[in-house]
PDB file of all heavy atoms in Angstrom:
ATOM      1  N   VAL A 402     166.525  22.555  94.239  1.00  0.00           N
ATOM      2  CA  VAL A 402     167.772  22.168  94.864  1.00  0.00           C
ATOM      3  C   VAL A 402     167.533  21.874  96.338  1.00  0.00           C
ATOM      4  O   VAL A 402     167.025  22.678  97.084  1.00  0.00           O
ATOM      5  CB  VAL A 402     168.876  23.251  94.722  1.00  0.00           C
ATOM      6  CG1 VAL A 402     170.119  22.876  95.487  1.00  0.00           C
ATOM      7  CG2 VAL A 402     169.197  23.538  93.277  1.00  0.00           C
ATOM      8  N   SER A 403     167.875  20.680  96.762  1.00  0.00           N
ATOM      9  CA  SER A 403     167.593  20.253  98.132  1.00  0.00           C
ATOM     10  C   SER A 403     168.682  20.701  99.064  1.00  0.00           C
ATOM     11  O   SER A 403     169.817  20.956  98.696  1.00  0.00           O
ATOM     12  CB  SER A 403     167.425  18.681  98.169  1.00  0.00           C
ATOM     13  OG  SER A 403     166.348  18.287  97.376  1.00  0.00           O
ATOM     14  N   MET A 404     168.302  20.651 100.373  1.00  0.00           N
ATOM     15  CA  MET A 404     169.270  21.072 101.407  1.00  0.00           C
ATOM     16  C   MET A 404     170.478  20.107 101.350  1.00  0.00           C
ATOM     17  O   MET A 404     170.274  18.851 101.286  1.00  0.00           O
ATOM     18  CB  MET A 404     168.599  20.975 102.779  1.00  0.00           C
ATOM     19  CG  MET A 404     169.456  21.519 103.972  1.00  0.00           C
ATOM     20  SD  MET A 404     168.557  21.344 105.554  1.00  0.00           S
ATOM     21  CE  MET A 404     167.029  22.311 105.233  1.00  0.00           C
ATOM     22  N   GLY A 405     171.654  20.636 101.400  1.00  0.00           N
ATOM     23  CA  GLY A 405     172.841  19.815 101.386  1.00  0.00           C
ATOM     24  C   GLY A 405     173.494  19.687 100.046  1.00  0.00           C
ATOM     25  O   GLY A 405     174.651  19.224  99.974  1.00  0.00           O
ATOM     26  N   GLU A 406     172.786  20.088  98.990  1.00  0.00           N
ATOM     27  CA  GLU A 406     173.359  20.033  97.630  1.00  0.00           C
ATOM     28  C   GLU A 406     174.204  21.295  97.403  1.00  0.00           C
ATOM     29  O   GLU A 406     173.898  22.317  97.935  1.00  0.00           O
ATOM     30  CB  GLU A 406     172.298  19.914  96.592  1.00  0.00           C
ATOM     31  CG  GLU A 406     171.556  18.617  96.574  1.00  0.00           C
ATOM     32  CD  GLU A 406     170.647  18.447  95.339  1.00  0.00           C
ATOM     33  OE1 GLU A 406     169.554  19.098  95.310  1.00  0.00           O
ATOM     34  OE2 GLU A 406     171.019  17.700  94.414  1.00  0.00           O
ATOM     35  N   PRO A 407     175.267  21.186  96.565  1.00  0.00           N
ATOM     36  CA  PRO A 407     176.142  22.330  96.379  1.00  0.00           C
ATOM     37  C   PRO A 407     175.451  23.412  95.542  1.00  0.00           C
ATOM     38  O   PRO A 407     174.569  23.100  94.640  1.00  0.00           O
ATOM     39  CB  PRO A 407     177.337  21.774  95.662  1.00  0.00           C
ATOM     40  CG  PRO A 407     176.828  20.536  94.971  1.00  0.00           C
ATOM     41  CD  PRO A 407     175.746  20.003  95.903  1.00  0.00           C
ATOM     42  N   ASP A 408     175.852  24.637  95.696  1.00  0.00           N
ATOM     43  CA  ASP A 408     175.333  25.757  94.924  1.00  0.00           C
ATOM     44  C   ASP A 408     175.612  25.595  93.375  1.00  0.00           C
ATOM     45  O   ASP A 408     174.921  26.191  92.566  1.00  0.00           O
ATOM     46  CB  ASP A 408     175.907  27.111  95.390  1.00  0.00           C
ATOM     47  CG  ASP A 408     175.360  27.536  96.764  1.00  0.00           C
ATOM     48  OD1 ASP A 408     174.346  26.902  97.181  1.00  0.00           O
ATOM     49  OD2 ASP A 408     175.977  28.367  97.365  1.00  0.00           O
ATOM     50  N   SER A 409     176.579  24.800  93.106  1.00  0.00           N
ATOM     51  CA  SER A 409     177.004  24.646  91.696  1.00  0.00           C
ATOM     52  C   SER A 409     175.918  23.986  90.802  1.00  0.00           C
ATOM     53  O   SER A 409     175.932  24.058  89.601  1.00  0.00           O
ATOM     54  CB  SER A 409     178.300  23.829  91.599  1.00  0.00           C
ATOM     55  OG  SER A 409     178.049  22.537  92.188  1.00  0.00           O
ATOM     56  N   VAL A 410     174.923  23.359  91.477  1.00  0.00           N
ATOM     57  CA  VAL A 410     173.890  22.664  90.685  1.00  0.00           C
ATOM     58  C   VAL A 410     172.722  23.576  90.259  1.00  0.00           C
ATOM     59  O   VAL A 410     171.874  23.219  89.494  1.00  0.00           O
ATOM     60  CB  VAL A 410     173.300  21.461  91.424  1.00  0.00           C
ATOM     61  CG1 VAL A 410     174.393  20.487  91.842  1.00  0.00           C
ATOM     62  CG2 VAL A 410     172.468  21.895  92.676  1.00  0.00           C
ATOM     63  N   TRP A 411     172.755  24.837  90.788  1.00  0.00           N
ATOM     64  CA  TRP A 411     171.590  25.715  90.523  1.00  0.00           C
ATOM     65  C   TRP A 411     171.434  25.977  89.001  1.00  0.00           C
ATOM     66  O   TRP A 411     170.309  25.919  88.469  1.00  0.00           O
ATOM     67  CB  TRP A 411     171.738  27.043  91.234  1.00  0.00           C
ATOM     68  CG  TRP A 411     171.252  27.083  92.635  1.00  0.00           C
ATOM     69  CD1 TRP A 411     171.920  27.129  93.791  1.00  0.00           C
ATOM     70  CD2 TRP A 411     169.861  27.013  92.985  1.00  0.00           C
ATOM     71  NE1 TRP A 411     171.099  27.136  94.877  1.00  0.00           N
ATOM     72  CE2 TRP A 411     169.802  27.043  94.429  1.00  0.00           C
ATOM     73  CE3 TRP A 411     168.662  26.944  92.318  1.00  0.00           C
ATOM     74  CZ2 TRP A 411     168.586  27.010  95.125  1.00  0.00           C
ATOM     75  CZ3 TRP A 411     167.477  26.905  92.992  1.00  0.00           C
ATOM     76  CH2 TRP A 411     167.457  26.961  94.418  1.00  0.00           C
ATOM     77  N   GLN A 412     172.539  26.303  88.339  1.00  0.00           N
ATOM     78  CA  GLN A 412     172.411  26.624  86.855  1.00  0.00           C
ATOM     79  C   GLN A 412     171.767  25.436  86.084  1.00  0.00           C
ATOM     80  O   GLN A 412     170.900  25.622  85.269  1.00  0.00           O
ATOM     81  CB  GLN A 412     173.762  27.005  86.281  1.00  0.00           C
ATOM     82  CG  GLN A 412     173.640  27.443  84.835  1.00  0.00           C
ATOM     83  CD  GLN A 412     174.922  28.083  84.372  1.00  0.00           C
ATOM     84  OE1 GLN A 412     175.837  28.441  85.073  1.00  0.00           O
ATOM     85  NE2 GLN A 412     174.987  28.350  83.021  1.00  0.00           N
ATOM     86  N   GLU A 413     172.321  24.236  86.372  1.00  0.00           N
ATOM     87  CA  GLU A 413     171.789  23.057  85.699  1.00  0.00           C
ATOM     88  C   GLU A 413     170.308  22.845  85.945  1.00  0.00           C
ATOM     89  O   GLU A 413     169.503  22.566  85.051  1.00  0.00           O
ATOM     90  CB  GLU A 413     172.562  21.777  86.169  1.00  0.00           C
ATOM     91  CG  GLU A 413     171.995  20.478  85.727  1.00  0.00           C
ATOM     92  CD  GLU A 413     172.284  19.372  86.731  1.00  0.00           C
ATOM     93  OE1 GLU A 413     173.368  19.309  87.240  1.00  0.00           O
ATOM     94  OE2 GLU A 413     171.340  18.554  86.979  1.00  0.00           O
ATOM     95  N   ARG A 414     169.883  23.012  87.193  1.00  0.00           N
ATOM     96  CA  ARG A 414     168.489  22.797  87.539  1.00  0.00           C
ATOM     97  C   ARG A 414     167.579  23.840  86.984  1.00  0.00           C
ATOM     98  O   ARG A 414     166.456  23.521  86.480  1.00  0.00           O
ATOM     99  CB  ARG A 414     168.325  22.820  89.092  1.00  0.00           C
ATOM    100  CG  ARG A 414     169.138  21.694  89.780  1.00  0.00           C
ATOM    101  CD  ARG A 414     168.548  20.294  89.607  1.00  0.00           C
ATOM    102  NE  ARG A 414     169.504  19.314  90.101  1.00  0.00           N
ATOM    103  CZ  ARG A 414     169.696  19.044  91.369  1.00  0.00           C
ATOM    104  NH1 ARG A 414     168.972  19.591  92.307  1.00  0.00           N
ATOM    105  NH2 ARG A 414     170.600  18.105  91.675  1.00  0.00           N
ATOM    106  N   ILE A 415     168.027  25.091  87.015  1.00  0.00           N
ATOM    107  CA  ILE A 415     167.213  26.165  86.429  1.00  0.00           C
ATOM    108  C   ILE A 415     167.000  25.928  84.917  1.00  0.00           C
ATOM    109  O   ILE A 415     165.911  26.081  84.422  1.00  0.00           O
ATOM    110  CB  ILE A 415     167.854  27.548  86.732  1.00  0.00           C
ATOM    111  CG1 ILE A 415     167.727  27.862  88.218  1.00  0.00           C
ATOM    112  CG2 ILE A 415     167.217  28.627  85.862  1.00  0.00           C
ATOM    113  CD1 ILE A 415     168.509  29.034  88.649  1.00  0.00           C
ATOM    114  N   GLU A 416     168.050  25.542  84.261  1.00  0.00           N
ATOM    115  CA  GLU A 416     167.952  25.336  82.810  1.00  0.00           C
ATOM    116  C   GLU A 416     167.039  24.122  82.513  1.00  0.00           C
ATOM    117  O   GLU A 416     166.221  24.133  81.619  1.00  0.00           O
ATOM    118  CB  GLU A 416     169.362  25.059  82.213  1.00  0.00           C
ATOM    119  CG  GLU A 416     170.221  26.312  82.196  1.00  0.00           C
ATOM    120  CD  GLU A 416     171.657  26.026  81.717  1.00  0.00           C
ATOM    121  OE1 GLU A 416     171.929  24.829  81.496  1.00  0.00           O
ATOM    122  OE2 GLU A 416     172.431  26.958  81.622  1.00  0.00           O
ATOM    123  N   ALA A 417     167.159  23.068  83.285  1.00  0.00           N
ATOM    124  CA  ALA A 417     166.388  21.837  83.044  1.00  0.00           C
ATOM    125  C   ALA A 417     164.951  21.964  83.510  1.00  0.00           C
ATOM    126  O   ALA A 417     164.033  21.436  82.849  1.00  0.00           O
ATOM    127  CB  ALA A 417     167.062  20.635  83.718  1.00  0.00           C
ATOM    128  N   LEU A 418     164.695  22.625  84.596  1.00  0.00           N
ATOM    129  CA  LEU A 418     163.372  22.568  85.224  1.00  0.00           C
ATOM    130  C   LEU A 418     162.486  23.813  85.036  1.00  0.00           C
ATOM    131  O   LEU A 418     161.283  23.770  85.329  1.00  0.00           O
ATOM    132  CB  LEU A 418     163.551  22.334  86.714  1.00  0.00           C
ATOM    133  CG  LEU A 418     164.203  20.959  87.051  1.00  0.00           C
ATOM    134  CD1 LEU A 418     164.465  20.844  88.552  1.00  0.00           C
ATOM    135  CD2 LEU A 418     163.352  19.818  86.582  1.00  0.00           C
ATOM    136  N   SER A 419     163.073  24.909  84.508  1.00  0.00           N
ATOM    137  CA  SER A 419     162.210  26.071  84.281  1.00  0.00           C
ATOM    138  C   SER A 419     160.973  25.833  83.445  1.00  0.00           C
ATOM    139  O   SER A 419     159.884  26.383  83.722  1.00  0.00           O
ATOM    140  CB  SER A 419     163.065  27.234  83.652  1.00  0.00           C
ATOM    141  OG  SER A 419     163.966  27.761  84.587  1.00  0.00           O
ATOM    142  N   PRO A 420     161.033  24.917  82.421  1.00  0.00           N
ATOM    143  CA  PRO A 420     159.831  24.596  81.697  1.00  0.00           C
ATOM    144  C   PRO A 420     158.777  23.921  82.523  1.00  0.00           C
ATOM    145  O   PRO A 420     157.554  23.888  82.142  1.00  0.00           O
ATOM    146  CB  PRO A 420     160.318  23.708  80.566  1.00  0.00           C
ATOM    147  CG  PRO A 420     161.739  24.019  80.412  1.00  0.00           C
ATOM    148  CD  PRO A 420     162.234  24.330  81.809  1.00  0.00           C
ATOM    149  N   TYR A 421     159.175  23.356  83.696  1.00  0.00           N
ATOM    150  CA  TYR A 421     158.208  22.656  84.568  1.00  0.00           C
ATOM    151  C   TYR A 421     157.718  23.520  85.732  1.00  0.00           C
ATOM    152  O   TYR A 421     157.085  23.007  86.672  1.00  0.00           O
ATOM    153  CB  TYR A 421     158.908  21.349  85.063  1.00  0.00           C
ATOM    154  CG  TYR A 421     159.293  20.474  83.936  1.00  0.00           C
ATOM    155  CD1 TYR A 421     160.468  20.604  83.220  1.00  0.00           C
ATOM    156  CD2 TYR A 421     158.401  19.444  83.475  1.00  0.00           C
ATOM    157  CE1 TYR A 421     160.837  19.770  82.166  1.00  0.00           C
ATOM    158  CE2 TYR A 421     158.745  18.598  82.453  1.00  0.00           C
ATOM    159  CZ  TYR A 421     159.925  18.818  81.768  1.00  0.00           C
ATOM    160  OH  TYR A 421     160.253  17.997  80.713  1.00  0.00           O
ATOM    161  N   ARG A 422     158.024  24.790  85.644  1.00  0.00           N
ATOM    162  CA  ARG A 422     157.464  25.701  86.670  1.00  0.00           C
ATOM    163  C   ARG A 422     155.931  25.671  86.629  1.00  0.00           C
ATOM    164  O   ARG A 422     155.342  25.608  85.597  1.00  0.00           O
ATOM    165  CB  ARG A 422     157.966  27.123  86.401  1.00  0.00           C
ATOM    166  CG  ARG A 422     157.442  28.187  87.319  1.00  0.00           C
ATOM    167  CD  ARG A 422     158.010  29.579  86.971  1.00  0.00           C
ATOM    168  NE  ARG A 422     159.443  29.677  87.223  1.00  0.00           N
ATOM    169  CZ  ARG A 422     160.331  29.983  86.346  1.00  0.00           C
ATOM    170  NH1 ARG A 422     159.961  30.282  85.102  1.00  0.00           N
ATOM    171  NH2 ARG A 422     161.621  30.084  86.663  1.00  0.00           N
TER     172      ARG A 422
END
Side-chain angles (χ1 to χ4, degrees):
V402 175
S403 298
M404 189 183 301
E406 291 190 284
D408 289 344
S409 59
V410 304
W411 273 111
Q412 183 168 351
E413 169 210 320
R414 299 289 168 79
I415 289 170
E416 291 174 355
L418 297 174
S419 288
Y421 298 85
R422 177 181 292 125

